[in-house]
């Protein structure tokens, strides 16, 4: 099985009524040939599927889901418009649900009033029957339709429970109204429960309406991100003619004009003009950033007062904003490890509840021969009504959706639910120095030559061939001194030490002290003295030499970010150990660590040694988060329990890390850990209340207190409780939005 045939995609799912539906679709998809893994999220109403394109297709997967009684939205037009279609379907579903709920409540109110206060009025039963029938079989018809669909597939869900309970109550009441003598001749008063059946439907519809509304609010972060791109843009052709076109017609290479106050449509580079741009929706940073010629700009950010022209580099689904939206959608649709247990419970929940309801009816018949049938029937109906797999099904995904959405709004991109859960456990953070603790923009502050600088063109040429960030600093320094490069032969990069190359058969070296000592190169005391002096000032030293003697020493400085100092202090306050790794020499590393407030550091670390260092920490029982640039530190990031990539712009290594901090601000690390703790706490609260609700509600509904104090739960109260249980779980998740993580 080749890797290029494996596709991972997220599809909107239609027709789910409860967590049991999600469990059934999950099972159906995972049983399909060619599906490697499938995860259905009830709260997000999505299915994340990894499949082999040579064995199956979205069309075949859709057929399987439709066969199970639901629907999967796939891209049939090649324009990937499932999201719009799904949003339209959800809006239409909400509109119809709202309409049905209003009518059901309006008709149920008089039924309740008659049932509670005017039962003795003429034709009371007939009036209640007339008003409740449309509520149950028209406005509540979906419960019965879906229950029959499930029955066809030998399955059951929440709709089955509602249809069974209200159907039994309705037809039992209809029998009592039409044939009252059957009970009167046996000395039993023929009660009717039309008001209970109608009110149950009305309250469950109301509960689902509130649930849909709340579920919509959990994905508000995605909607906000999607709304950041303008609908139209102004492009300029080669003749200078300006044309307004829809955003989906922009092509790479187009020149676009951005006016004051406008949103930027695609990723690009400024070619004319300057302005300050608000990037807060991407980075979480409130201060606008100055954009000048050659500055990178990103889709979704907002221009301030100036205007400029830019060249479109990445359009459509390749922009940073589109990447973020895709990443957040995938993360919101993923499942936390705790969800696996909940899914197993949801899959057997409805059959278990039906069994309990039948058992309670049988027990009432056995132990109460006089009123056993009536009480048993009521108990059976009430058990079916009060049980709620939805609360269990919504407990984890709604909290995950809000948590990941809140992270995205604050410039913290979280890859999946498992990463969010892992962050809470982190007790050790390992930081790469360059670009993480420091600015990542090293500059040459000093250079000292042994005799004269007539070899500077060789130094310049060598460093120009290197890809190391420190080499860029040297190259930039010499490019400002009108130095001309020369041709270098046999160029070689020596990992963790430096570079070498030859001119006319003679070798030249540029790198750290290890490179010099490994090649037995002599260092003049004057150069050593300068190197020691600069090292004590926490500057990084670069040596330049021929194959016999060092010719020059350069000092490079990289300023510590102010945000790093605050972040490291916050991590210490939270009881988290902080380590710094760097390829610099010990003196420089010690000075930087001291200034940053870090007591644990390791200097002169080669890239392949970082992973071993993290492994060593893990073996002592530490849960380690590695923070790096996501590319050079890939082995260390892979080894860590939680990998965090720092970076701003389209070069972010989103695929490498489990978390990405867009703004490169280390303060986001403690924020991410706090967000994880708040989200996991919310999940636990939700699961506790969902389990407790069912553990207490079901026995109460069965009549467990009747022998003690004569208490029997009213089916109407059970309907209200069931509706409120789901709403309370989603509302508790939404409280996360108001929590501060700074």
């Amino acid at each position: 099985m080749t890797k290029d045939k494996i596709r991972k995609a997220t599809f909107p799912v239609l027709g789910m009524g409860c967590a049991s539906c999600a469990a059934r679709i999950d099972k159906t998809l995972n049983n399909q040939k060619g599906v490697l893994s499938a995860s259905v999220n009830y709260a997000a109403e999505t299915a994340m599927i990894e499949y082999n394109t040579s064995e199956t297709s979205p069309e075949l997967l859709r057929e399987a889901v439709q066969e199970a009684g639901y629907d999967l939205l796939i891209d049939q037009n090649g324009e990937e418009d499932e999201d719009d279609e799904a949003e339209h379907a959800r809006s239409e579903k909400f509109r119809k649900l709202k309409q049905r709920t209003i009518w059901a409540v309006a008709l149920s109110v008089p039924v309740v009033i008659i049932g509670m206060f005017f039962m003795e009025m003429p034709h009371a039963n007939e009036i209640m029957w007339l008003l409740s029938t449309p509520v149950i079989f028209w406005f509540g018809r979906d419960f019965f339709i879906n229950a029959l669909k499930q029955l066809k597939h030998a399955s059951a869900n929440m709709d089955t429970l509602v249809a069974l309970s209200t159907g039994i109550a309705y037809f039992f009441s209809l029998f009592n109204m039409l044939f009252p003598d059957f009970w009167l001749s046996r000395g039993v008063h023929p009660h009717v429960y039309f008001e209970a059946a109608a009110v149950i439907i009305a309250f469950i519809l109301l509960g689902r309406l509130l649930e849909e509304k709340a579920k919509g609010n959990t994905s508000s972060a995605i909607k906000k991100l999607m709304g950041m791109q303008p609908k139209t843009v102004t492009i300029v052709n080669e003749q200078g003619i300006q044309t307004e076109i829809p955003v989906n017609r922009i092509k790479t290479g187009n020149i676009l004009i951005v006016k004051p106050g406008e949103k930027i449509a695609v990723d690009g580079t400024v070619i004319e003009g300057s302005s300050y741009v608000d990037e807060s929706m991407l980075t979480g940073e409130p201060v606008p950033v100055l954009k000048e010629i050659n500055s990178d700009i990103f889709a979704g950010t907002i221009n301030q007062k100036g205007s400029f022209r830019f060249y479109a580099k990445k359009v459509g689904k390749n922009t940073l904003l589109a990447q973020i939206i895709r990443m957040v959608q995938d993360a919101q649709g993923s499942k936390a490890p705790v969800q696996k247990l909940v899914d197993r419970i949801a899959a057997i929940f409805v059959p278990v509840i039906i069994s309990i309801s039948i058992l309670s009816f049988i027990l009432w018949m056995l132990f109460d021969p006089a009123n056993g049938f009536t009480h048993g029937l009521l108990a059976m109906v009430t058990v079916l009504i009060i049980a709620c797999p939805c609360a269990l099904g919504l407990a984890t995904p709604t909290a995950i959706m809000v948590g990941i959405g809140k992270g995205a709004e604050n410039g913290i991109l979280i890859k999946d639910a498992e990463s969010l859960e892992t962050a809470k456990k982190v007790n050790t953070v390992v930081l790469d120095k360059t670009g993480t603790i420091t600015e990542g923009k090293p500059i040459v502050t000093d250079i000292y030559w042994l005799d004269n600088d007539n070899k500077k063109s060789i130094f310049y040429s060598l460093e120009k061939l290197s890809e190391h960030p420190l080499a860029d600093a040297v190259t930039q320094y010499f490019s400002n001194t009108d130095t001309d490069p020369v041709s270098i032969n046999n160029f070689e990069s020596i990992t963790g030490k430096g570079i070498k190359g030859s001119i006319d058969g003679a070798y030249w070296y540029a790198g750290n002290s290890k490179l010099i000592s490994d090649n037995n190169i002599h260092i003049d005391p004057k150069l050593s003295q300068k190197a020691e002096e600069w090292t004590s000032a926490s500057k990084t030293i670069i040596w330049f030499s021929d194959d016999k003697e060092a010719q020059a020493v350069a000092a490079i400085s990289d300023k510590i970010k102010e945000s790093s100092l605050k972040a490291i202090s916050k991590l210490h306050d939270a009881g988290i150990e902080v380590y710094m790794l760097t390829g610099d020499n010990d003196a420089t590393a010690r000075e930087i660590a001291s200034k940053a407030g870090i007591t644990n550091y390791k200097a002169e670390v080669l890239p392949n040694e970082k992973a071993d260092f993290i492994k060593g920490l893990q073996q002592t029982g530490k849960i380690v988060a590695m923070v790096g640039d996501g590319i050079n530190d890939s082995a260390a990031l892979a080894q860590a329990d939680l990998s965090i990539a720092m970076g701003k712009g389209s070069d972010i290594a989103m695929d490498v890390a489990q978390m990405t901090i867009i703004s490169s601000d280390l303060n986001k690390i403690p924020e991410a850990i706090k967000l994880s703790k708040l989200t996991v706490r919310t999940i636990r609260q939700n699961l506790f209340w969902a389990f407790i609700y069912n553990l207490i509600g079901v026995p109460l509904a069965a009549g467990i207190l009747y022998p003690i104090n004569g208490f029997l739960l009213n089916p109407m109260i059970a309907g209200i409780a069931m509706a409120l249980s789901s709403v309370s779980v989603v509302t508790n998740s939404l409280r996360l939005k108001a929590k501060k993580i700074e």
Side-chain angles (χ1 to χ4, degrees), residues 108-181:
S108 297
V109 170
V111 179
V112 173
I113 292 168
I114 293 168
M116 292 180 74
F117 305 109
F118 301 104
M119 274 303 291
E120 303 307 317
M121 68 181 275
H123 308 295
N125 287 353
E126 288 80 0
I127 294 167
M128 287 194 293
W129 169 67
L130 279 170
L131 290 171
S132 62
T133 300
V135 173
I136 296 160
F137 296 111
W138 183 247
F139 303 119
R141 66 188 181 278
D142 283 354
F143 296 116
F144 294 91
I145 292 166
N146 293 336
L148 286 170
K149 278 185 188 173
Q150 294 301 313
L151 187 62
K152 244 171 50 178
H153 297 98
S155 182
N157 65 1
M158 188 67 209
D159 293 325
T160 309
L161 298 183
V162 176
L164 271 175
S165 57
T166 54
I168 290 166
Y170 177 85
F171 286 111
F172 178 61
S173 302
L174 187 62
F175 179 86
N176 289 357
M177 183 185 80
L178 296 173
F179 308 105
D181 291 340

Side-chain angles (χ1 to χ4, degrees), residues 369-419:
N371 299 303
F373 184 85
T374 307
H375 286 165
L377 196 70
L378 270 178
M380 184 166 76
V381 167
T382 311
V383 167
L384 291 169
I385 293 164
I386 202 164
C388 186
C390 300
L392 282 172
L394 290 166
T396 303
T398 51
I400 291 292
M401 285 174 76
V402 175
I404 284 170
K406 189 175 179 70
E409 287 175 0
N410 285 277
I412 304 164
L413 297 184
I414 300 159
K415 201 162 198 176
D416 52 37
E418 192 169 349
S419 308

Side-chain angles (χ1 to χ4, degrees), residues 248-538:
N248 56 9
R249 282 178 50 201
I250 303 173
K251 293 191 172 88
T252 303
N254 283 157
I255 305 299
L256 285 77
I257 293 178
V258 182
K259 295 167 187 169
E262 285 186 344
K263 287 180 182 174
I264 292 160
V266 294
D267 293 359
T269 304
V270 177
I271 58 169
E272 185 184 313
S274 66
S275 180
Y276 281 89
V277 173
D278 179 0
E279 296 185 336
S280 60
M281 283 301 287
L282 288 180
T283 65
E285 296 299 313
V287 181
V289 181
L290 176 62
K291 299 293 179 179
E292 301 171 295
I293 292 171
N294 294 329
S295 294
D296 289 331
I297 55 170
F298 307 102
T301 55
I302 302 168
N303 183 29
Q304 300 291 288
K305 293 177 182 177
S307 64
F308 55 87
R309 295 185 182 195
F310 74 95
Y311 167 90
K313 276 166 61 178
K314 291 189 177 181
V315 303
K317 294 192 177 287
N318 295 318
T319 64
L320 175 63
L321 177 62
Q323 278 182 285
I324 291 170
I325 289 170
R326 216 163 33 243
M327 190 174 176
V328 175
Q329 280 177 324
D330 288 348
Q332 288 188 332
S334 66
K335 289 184 180 179
V338 70
Q339 184 68 18
K340 290 171 187 171
L341 169 67
V342 177
D343 286 347
R344 285 200 294 272
I345 293 167
I348 60 163
F349 189 91
V350 174
V352 167
I353 291 301
I354 292 171
S355 303
I356 291 170
S357 70
I358 294 167
L359 180 64
S360 42
F361 178 75
I362 293 167
L363 290 174
W364 271 104
M365 290 289 287
L366 288 173
F367 292 107
D368 186 7
N371 299 303
F373 184 85
T374 307
H375 286 165
L377 196 70
L378 270 178
M380 184 166 76
V381 167
T382 311
V383 167
L384 291 169
I385 293 164
I386 202 164
C388 186
C390 300
L392 282 172
L394 290 166
T396 303
T398 51
I400 291 292
M401 285 174 76
V402 175
I404 284 170
K406 189 175 179 70
E409 287 175 0
N410 285 277
I412 304 164
L413 297 184
I414 300 159
K415 201 162 198 176
D416 52 37
E418 192 169 349
S419 308
L420 186 63
E421 201 171 318
T422 302
K424 172 191 172 290
K425 303 170 191 169
V426 167
N427 53 27
T428 305
V429 172
V430 177
L431 303 172
D432 181 47
K433 179 184 78 75
T434 307
T436 302
I437 295 172
T438 62
E439 295 279 2
K441 295 173 186 171
I443 56 165
V444 173
T445 57
D446 308 274
I447 191 162
Y448 185 81
W449 293 89
L450 179 63
D451 296 319
N452 53 56
D453 64 355
N454 59 2
K455 306 285 193 306
K456 66 180 180 181
S457 57
I458 300 173
F459 194 1
Y460 175 37
S461 304
L462 262 180
E463 293 288 25
K464 204 170 182 186
L465 295 172
S466 174
E467 293 179 356
H468 197 280
L470 296 180
D472 286 342
V474 177
T475 304
Q476 188 65 42
Y477 174 81
F478 282 121
S479 65
N480 293 332
T481 60
D482 297 324
T483 305
D484 295 320
V486 294
S487 180
I488 302 284
N489 300 313
N490 305 313
F491 178 81
E492 186 184 339
S493 178
I494 304 155
T495 304
K497 294 174 186 175
I499 49 176
K500 71 174 184 177
S502 67
I503 296 176
D504 299 329
Y507 270 93
W508 296 86
Y509 300 84
N512 59 22
S513 56
K514 269 190 182 179
L515 182 71
I516 302 301
S517 60
D518 285 356
N519 289 280
N520 299 312
I521 292 164
H522 177 258
I523 298 174
D524 188 279
K526 287 184 287 183
L527 291 178
S528 291
Q529 187 183 343
K530 280 292 177 187
E532 284 171 24
E533 182 187 318
W534 294 335
T535 298
S536 63
S538 74

